[in-house]
Each structure stands twice: as C-alpha cells, then as structure tokens.
Amino acid sequence: MELVARTAVIGIGNEFRRDDGVGWAVVTALEDRAARQPLSRATVLARSDGDPGRLIGLWEDTALAVVVDACFPPSAQPGRTHRWSGNPDGSFHPAGPARHSTHGLGLAEAVRLGDVLGRGPGRLVVYAVEGADRALGTGLTPAVARAVPVLVRRIEADIRRDGEARAHGPRDG
C-alpha cells in the first residue's frame, strides 16, 4: 500500500443522539477554524456514522487518520477525553465488542478489518470522549461541549507534528 501524504479527521457519531454527536461537533469546529486559518491542504474533514466500510473508505491510503467518537463507560466522567495512538505492536485491543459504543460494529472492528484488507491508515490516532447523554435530541451536554475546543487544538497539534515528522523523513537510530 502506498500512502498518500494526507490526513483524514473523521468524526463518528449521530448528531441526533446528544453527546454521541461530539465527533461531528469537532469536525464542524475544525471546519469553522479552517475557514479562518486553513489546515494543511492535504487534510480532509469527514463525518461518519461509524459503519466500518465507510470508515475504511475515509482513511484508506492516508498517512494519518484521526478519529473522534463518544464513549459511554459505566462510570463516565462527561467530557473526559482519552487518546490512543497504538500499542507498541501497532494493534488495537478494545475492552469488548462495541461495549461502550452506540454503533453495532465498533471502531475496533473497522481497524481490524482495514488491517486485514490492507486498507488501514499509516497511523491512527483515536480520541474517545466520555459522554453523559445519548438520548434522542440535539446538542451536547455542557461538559462534553467544553471538550470540543480542547480537542480541536490537540488534533491541530497532531496534524502539525505528523507533517513535521514526514518532512524530516525517517531518522537513523
């Protein structure tokens, strides 16, 4: 697989299920910010419902894919954000199949399927935001809404670092 020098930022969720829309809210905030101060030309911003096939299509052949999704663990602290950028062996080990996701098949299954098909991103960064409310309705709860601008800054930093690392190429160890 030959990686295209581009980045995909993918917000997973459903804007009509309250905090489950945090991924889409982050993409919207990045679009608004990019209108004032453009991101790298090679950055694609996308929204997804979490379907594994569509996710794979969005991140296929990218050098970096950043995925933002809500999670709903039993003892959630709404707005708390977790960042994962791979285990040392590059694998992804979820707690259980779609255990804290509102999607039938979770992100872990999409990552595994993409890897098996040779259609995964070069590097994957996942942000999971703990949510409080996934009932029908629009709008994020206040704690989750406060996490959005923080995530925008963190994702911009991820994109910048990845671009700098690619510009300098591999280093001799």
Side-chain angles (χ1 to χ4, degrees):
M1 163 178 71
E2 184 175 329
L3 299 179
V4 177
R6 77 177 170 100
T7 298
V9 178
I10 305 165
I12 297 177
N14 181 340
E15 66 181 334
F16 301 108
R17 300 286 290 194
R18 302 279 303 186
D19 288 343
D20 192 41
V22 70
W24 288 30
V26 167
V27 168
T28 298
L30 281 164
E31 288 170 339
D32 292 346
R33 181 145 165 123
R36 295 186 309 277
Q37 181 181 359
L39 298 167
S40 161
R41 281 191 332 251
T43 300
V44 175
L45 302 173
R47 292 168 187 82
S48 174
D49 60 4
D51 174 79
R54 286 189 282 275
L55 280 172
I56 291 168
L58 290 169
W59 70 41
E60 181 177 20
D61 298 330
T62 60
L64 171 67
V66 179
V67 176
V68 182
D69 196 6
C71 64
F72 298 90
S75 299
Q77 292 181 17
R80 181 168 58 177
T81 302
H82 306 273
R83 182 181 187 277
W84 172 82
S85 60
N87 294 315
D89 65 356
S91 63
F92 184 66
H93 300 291
R99 184 174 137 192
H100 304 304
S101 174
T102 59
H103 319 294
L105 289 176
L107 177 60
E109 290 81 10
V111 171
R112 283 192 206 107
L113 181 59
D115 286 346
V116 166
L117 297 174
R119 294 176 60 194
R123 183 167 169 256
L124 177 65
V125 174
V126 176
Y127 287 98
V129 182
E130 293 185 20
D133 186 356
R134 56 183 157 191
L136 290 175
T138 58
L140 304 174
T141 58
V144 173
R146 284 191 297 274
V148 171
V150 174
L151 278 169
V152 166
R153 289 190 298 275
R154 291 178 74 184
I155 291 167
E156 287 176 325
D158 285 330
I159 293 168
R160 191 171 37 259
R161 275 190 304 271
D162 186 72
E164 291 168 359
R166 278 185 286 162
H168 292 103
R171 296 181 180 188
D172 294 330

